[in-house]
Each structure stands twice: as structure tokens, then as C-alpha cells.
């Protein structure tokens, strides 16, 4: 890991720690690399919908954060990102031992960045795709209270 | 309220109570009518992103539930719904006294229902649109563990 | 109609005439008002998919243009718009005498505008919803060759 | 190429020939493989928007068809597909010598298939990503007039 990569990882970790929702959901930060960020959620009653699967909103929350942090990992210091829109397709019920969202930048732009997150359910060591999210992130600079 | 409407409202309330995520987020059920359901969230550190606004994932969670319950409110008893996809546009930071998601059915179909949710931030008694979600809900019948 | 509305209508009409695709599809401009624009398409073999319905791509094209022009109708002169993303739900096969896309601005912003288009199929004088599109339009200024 | 692959390619080609819109746009079928289909469009005034770029509607049309045919290529004979929704992010103006949409199945399901299409602009032999589409395709069987 270069010192630049190390700095990016620290920046993401510091921002992640400020996302109260992630703590509330019990989500944790996984692997971080330039343009790629992983977030992990443990299924359970606290994040369920009415049939006991992980709620689409909880799946979306970690997928959106993974995509957003993938975008942030490529931003110069002092620039933050805000999600302007995302779409998620839920292709299988989210259940298992762990839910893993893997965000990745598709196209980094000056104002808008397109990122994607694939969400997998891991059960008995096997991964299965449960959702696919595409998000537009807007770079924000010099807006009070908005950075990283 | 007709007895049919009353039954629909009770059905939604019972299902909502089983969505562990809603309790975790501190969300509550608002007005329920055939094809229309309201869900309310109180902003705070527990549902925040890194800048202190309500996290897009939390906004999405209540908007998805509001749209899904709007769809469910028109389904015959014994039929459940699952979200197959949704898209959300976040047009303003979600902050204020209350965040209100208002779900509404756009087109009810045999297999697929299209629903929409508008999300408003209420501050000092004024409402402001912060997000718009469109979702596809799939009707599910006779799948074990999936109803309402 | 105020002279301002008249100017907006002329601006949209001039831009529409430059969209080669609209002529290729045989689409025509309908009613234009501030924040609202209508585009009409006649079903037929030239715009069909393999089952004889109007192709989702043709439905999307008029819906995207209707949403984009709704956004443009609220922009100051000299500013153009580009679609950065859209999502469309196709809720019924598009067939009939006329397909009518009605674009409308949901939220006008400095950089990004959110617009929506409902698409109706008209048959024997009856209208039926066939599609719903939501689009993000980006305001463009001072980029060579991009205006209106 | 196995005889099965050959049959799939012939099936896609026959269906493509029935999509009047593709001929109207001047689009042609490229490489076809199980779960993957390519469609090519030549930029020009007939498919342009007001600034001379390829219209988002034309980009969407070939991307939607590429995704739909990727889904169809995995369907048993006698089953057709209909697009129920798609979302497209337009990340760069579509211009150049050729626009190439490459559709690919992400998850094939009994009722719903999720497919994606990446759209590239080729100029001077170089390819550049211009759009990303994700689509839900619904399998249709035994509905009159709907096959392949």
C-alpha cells in the first residue's frame, strides 16, 4: 500500500465513522482501494423487512455508501460527494451470514461520478448476487459542512 | 372509513410492525388509505450520513416501504409484495423536524405494480420535496414465509 | 399567452426542429407551457419492436425529449440542457392511435433539474398510461455547440 | 460455434429484423453469443439531438435492444421478453464513427431477468464509455403475438 492509498483509506474510515446510520445498522467497512470500497452488514431482526429478509432499504444503504465511498476515494482532499440518484435492482432475497456491498467507480467526472455496487449474500462460504445499484455522485466543494 | 379500509389499515400496521428495520430507524407509520401510505422518520445522528443530513439509505428505506405498502394496500389477502427495483432522485439534503415519505400506486398490475413515493422534509411547519422514488413491486403468492 | 411564454414556446420549437431523431421517428411537438412539454408519436412499423408494439426505445426517446424540453422551458436564454440519466417503467404495451409523452419539471435546480414524463397511449379517444420516466437534466452554459 | 449457439444467433437475427425501429435508426446487429448481444449505430443527423450528438433516445433504443436480446438468447424457444423498466446513465456525449451497445445478462430468472448494456463511442479506433443501462426483462409465454 502506497502512502497515498493509506491516506485514502484513512479518509474513508474517518468519514464512515461519522455516518450514524452505518453504526445503527451494524454495518462495517471492509476492503478499501482507490475506486473500490466494500461494506458489510450482518442479517438479523434489526435490519429485516416483514418476511425476515434484509430490508431493501438496508441493502440500499450499504450499497449507496459503498458506491459513494468508491467515488470519494478518487476525489482530491477537501472535496465531498453527495448522492444525487441511484437505482437498485433486487434480484434475490437478501439472507445469509453476511451481506457484502462492493462499490466501484464506473466513470469519474469533474462534477458527476457514476459508480456501481454489487451486493452479495454470503452463506456457508458461498456468495450469491442479490442486488445491483448504479449511482450518480455529485462532487461538492466549499459548501459549509460538506466534505469527505 | 369502511370496514374494508379498516382491515387494510390493520394489515399494513401488522406488517409494518414486523419490519425490524423500521423500528431500528425509529420510523413510524402515518396515514394509510387504499393505494396510499405515509411513513415518518425523525432526523438525528442515528440515521445520518457524514455531513449530518439524513442518509440516502434511510430516506430510501422509508420511501421504499411507503411505496411497497401502498401496493400491498390494494392486494387481496394472502398476497405479499417484494420490491424488485427502485430508483430514487435526491433533490435536496434531507434535514428538518420530520421526514415524510408518501407512497402511492401509479399502476396496479397482476404480477407487477408500479408505485411512487415523494419524500418531504418538514421544518417549521413547511414541507419541501427532498426525494422522489419509483418502485416496481412483485406480487408473491404461496411462497413460504412471504405474505403481506 | 404572455410574450415570455411565447418566446419559450418558440425556443423549444426551434430546438425540437434540430433534433434529427424526432423527424426520423415522425414525432411532433404538442402543447408547450412553462415547465410542461408534450411530444406525440404515431405508432407504426417504423417505430416498432418485434411484436408490433412501439419500441421501448422510441417511447423513451419522446419521453426523454418531453422531460428535457420541460426543463429547458424554465432555463434562462443561453443555457442548454443535457440528460445525465433517466429511468423508465413500461407498464403496458404502447399501441393505439397516438402515443403522447407529457414532460413536467419536478424540481428545478441551478445545476440539476429533475423532470418526469408520463406517456399515454390514445386509442378510440381514450388515454391509458403506458410509461413513466424520471430524468435528471444538467444545465450547460458556455460549452461550445451546446445551447437550448 | 455449436449448433445451439447457431440457432440462438439465428433466432436473435430473425427477431431483430422485425424491430422496425432498428431499421429506421439504421442500427445493425453485431456479435451474438449466449447471454451477450451487440448492436451498432452510426452517428448522423437522422439520430441526433439538438447539439448534434446522438440523441439519448437513440442510445437508449440500441442499449435496450442489446440488453433485451442478451436476455432472449438464454430463453427457451417459444418464450419472448418484454422490457419492464430500464435506467440509463449518460456519462459522455455520444459522438464518433460508431456507437456500440453491448448487452449482457447479469441474472437470469424464471420471470424476471436483469441485464446490462454498456454503450461505447468509437472514434479513430478508440472506444470510450458513453452510457450504462440496466434493464429488467419479463419472460412472456403464451401471450398472443408475443414471442422471441
Amino acid at each position: 500500500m502506497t502512502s497515498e492509498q493509506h491516506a485514502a483509506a484513512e479518509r474513508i474510515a474517518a468519514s464512515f465513522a461519522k455516518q450514524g446510520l452505518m453504526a445503527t445498522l451494524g454495518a462495517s467497512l471492509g476492503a478499501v482501494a482507490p475506486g473500490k470500497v466494500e461494506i458489510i452488514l450482518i442479517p438479523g431482526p434489526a435490519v429485516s423487512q416483514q418476511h425476515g429478509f434484509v430490508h431493501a432499504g438496508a441493502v440500499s444503504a450499504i450499497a449507496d455508501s459503498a458506491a459513494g465511498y468508491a467515488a470519494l476515494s478518487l476525489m482530491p482532499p477537501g472535496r465531498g460527494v453527495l448522492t444525487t440518484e441511484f437505482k437498485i435492482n433486487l434480484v434475490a432475497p437478501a439472507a445469509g451470514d453476511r451481506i457484502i456491498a462492493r462499490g466501484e467507480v464506473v466513470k469519474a467526472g469533474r462534477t458527476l461520478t457514476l459508480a456501481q455496487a454489487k451486493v452479495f449474500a454470503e452463506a456457508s462460504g458461498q456468495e450469491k448476487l442479490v442486488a445491483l445499484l448504479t449511482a450518480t455522485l455529485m462532487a461538492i466543494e466549499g459548501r459549509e459542512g460538506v466534505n469527505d
Side-chain angles (χ1 to χ4, degrees), chain A:
Chain A
M1 205 189 245
T2 66
S3 68
E4 213 167 70
Q5 284 171 3
H6 191 73
E10 286 202 332
R11 178 188 186 190
I12 304 296
S15 179
F16 186 88
K18 285 190 275 179
Q19 287 205 339
L21 181 66
M22 292 296 117
T24 300
L25 299 177
S28 60
L29 194 60
V32 173
K36 293 189 185 188
V37 170
E38 216 174 71
I39 297 180
I40 295 146
L41 182 70
I42 308 299
V47 293
S48 76
Q49 40 86 283
Q50 71 275 28
H51 316 123
F53 304 130
V54 177
H55 196 287
V59 172
S60 300
I62 62 165
D64 169 48
S65 277
Y69 282 130
L72 184 63
S73 74
L74 300 182
M75 294 271 162
R79 255 196 184 181
V81 295
L82 281 178
T83 305
T84 65
E85 61 85 21
F86 70 77
K87 188 230 194 178
I88 187 163
N89 285 82
L90 303 143
V91 298
D97 304 324
R98 300 198 312 162
I99 307 297
I100 307 162
R102 295 200 175 99
E104 189 163 354
V105 170
V106 175
K107 170 84 193 296
R110 210 177 21 148
T111 309
L112 301 179
T113 288
L114 178 64
Q116 202 165 59
K118 288 189 171 172
V119 185
F120 298 89
E122 192 190 270
S124 314
Q126 299 275 357
E127 286 192 2
K128 183 187 169 178
L129 182 74
V130 296
L132 174 66
L133 169 143
T134 55
T136 303
L137 291 307
M138 195 176 197
I140 302 287
E141 205 164 359
R143 196 195 285 189
E144 202 187 334
V146 177
N147 49 42
D148 288 6

